[in-house]
Amino acid sequence: MKFTEFKAKFLGLPVIPSRLLSGGQADINQLERWRRSGRIVKLRRGLYMLGAGERRLEPGRAYLAGQIYQPSYVSLEYALSVYGLIPERPADMTSVSARKTAVFVNDFGTFSYQSVKPSVFRGFTAVKDETGFPYFMAEPEKAVADFVYLNLGKCPSAEKEAGEYLAEAFRFQDLASLRRRRLKEYFALFGMKKMDRIADAILGLAGGGA
C-alpha cells in the first residue's frame, strides 16, 4: 500500500489500531519506515496515528491515554490538578486501570497506568477533551481515593497525622469542593480501616461541604 492510499483511508480516524490493517510482515515493515520518516506516530505496539504534518485531527493527551491502554480512566495527579486539588499539573498523563501497572512513552509524552482491583474500578465519567474527543475521567472524590490508596504506605495511620501529611507533603488544596458523602463512599470501596481514617482526615481539612 502506498502512503497516499493509507492516509486517505485513515485520515478521518484520530488513532489507527493495527487490527484495521491487512496484516503481514510487509505491513509491519511499511509502518516502521513511515514511523521513521515522521509520516505516522507509534503510540504503543499496535496503535498508531498520522504524523503531525499528515493528520487533520488533533486529539488531546487525555483521549490518547484512554486509547493506549484499555480499560482505563484518567485519575491520580493529572485529574487532581484538573480539579484544582493540587497546585501543579504533572508532566505525565496519569491513569488507573483494572489491568496490570504499565508505562508507555511516545511522541506525546509519558502515559502511566496504576493498577487497582476490578471491584474499585469505578467512580469515573465520560467527558470530552479540548478538541471534542471522549475519554473517561475520575470524579474528584475518586481521584483523591485512588491517589491515597496508591500512596497508602507513605501516609501515617493516625487521623490527625494523616491530615497534616496530606496537606504538607502532597499540598492538597480546595478540599471544601469535595462531596463528603461521595468521598466516604469511594474510600470505603477499598475495604481498609486506614483508608476510612484518612477519609475522615481529609474531611477534617475540608471543613464544611455537602
Side-chain angles (χ1 to χ4, degrees):
M1 180 187 294
K2 295 181 179 179
F3 182 74
T4 53
E5 296 173 325
F6 178 89
K7 179 178 176 179
K9 183 176 182 179
F10 296 113
L11 192 59
L13 296 181
V15 298
I16 308 166
S18 59
R19 67 176 182 272
L20 298 182
L21 306 176
S22 59
Q25 189 63 38
D27 284 325
I28 295 173
N29 292 336
Q30 272 189 333
L31 290 171
E32 181 58 22
R33 287 195 298 271
W34 292 341
R35 185 197 66 79
R36 289 197 300 266
S37 67
R39 289 180 167 183
I40 64 171
V41 174
K42 184 176 181 179
L43 299 173
R44 61 158 294 173
R45 182 179 180 182
L47 188 66
Y48 303 86
M49 64 188 299
L50 291 171
E54 307 291 346
R55 62 181 179 265
R56 69 182 181 194
L57 301 176
E58 290 290 347
R61 292 174 68 221
Y63 168 80
L64 295 179
Q67 299 298 306
I68 289 170
Y69 203 55
Q70 299 179 2
S72 66
Y73 61 90
V74 175
S75 187
L76 307 171
E77 293 94 333
Y78 193 88
L80 293 173
S81 71
V82 170
Y83 292 125
L85 295 170
I86 59 174
E88 289 94 14
R89 182 72 56 91
D92 295 355
M93 180 62 65
T94 55
S95 300
V96 161
S97 176
R99 298 170 64 185
K100 65 181 182 180
T101 295
V103 177
F104 302 91
V105 181
N106 55 46
D107 290 5
F108 294 91
T110 300
F111 297 79
S112 65
Y113 302 83
Q114 296 295 322
S115 179
V116 297
K117 56 187 178 181
S119 62
V120 299
F121 187 76
R122 61 180 71 183
F124 53 89
T125 186
V127 296
K128 292 184 178 181
D129 69 12
E130 60 272 20
T131 53
F133 289 95
Y135 66 98
F136 292 116
M137 174 94 150
E139 295 180 26
E141 299 79 10
K142 187 53 162 49
V144 175
D146 289 338
F147 181 83
V148 169
Y149 171 72
L150 291 165
N151 289 277
L152 198 59
K154 302 176 185 178
C155 290
S157 295
E159 181 179 326
K160 180 180 179 181
E161 286 77 8
E164 293 173 349
Y165 180 77
L166 291 170
E168 295 174 8
F170 296 130
R171 301 173 67 191
F172 274 99
Q173 61 186 22
D174 196 26
L175 294 174
S177 65
L178 297 172
R179 296 165 293 182
R180 299 175 68 88
R181 182 179 298 177
R182 190 65 61 88
L183 184 80
K184 292 280 285 185
E185 289 173 352
Y186 285 143
F187 271 72
L189 283 176
F190 293 89
M192 303 172 68
K193 291 182 179 179
K194 185 174 180 180
M195 287 287 288
D196 294 336
R197 288 194 295 271
I198 294 175
D200 291 335
I202 291 172
L203 293 176
L205 293 172

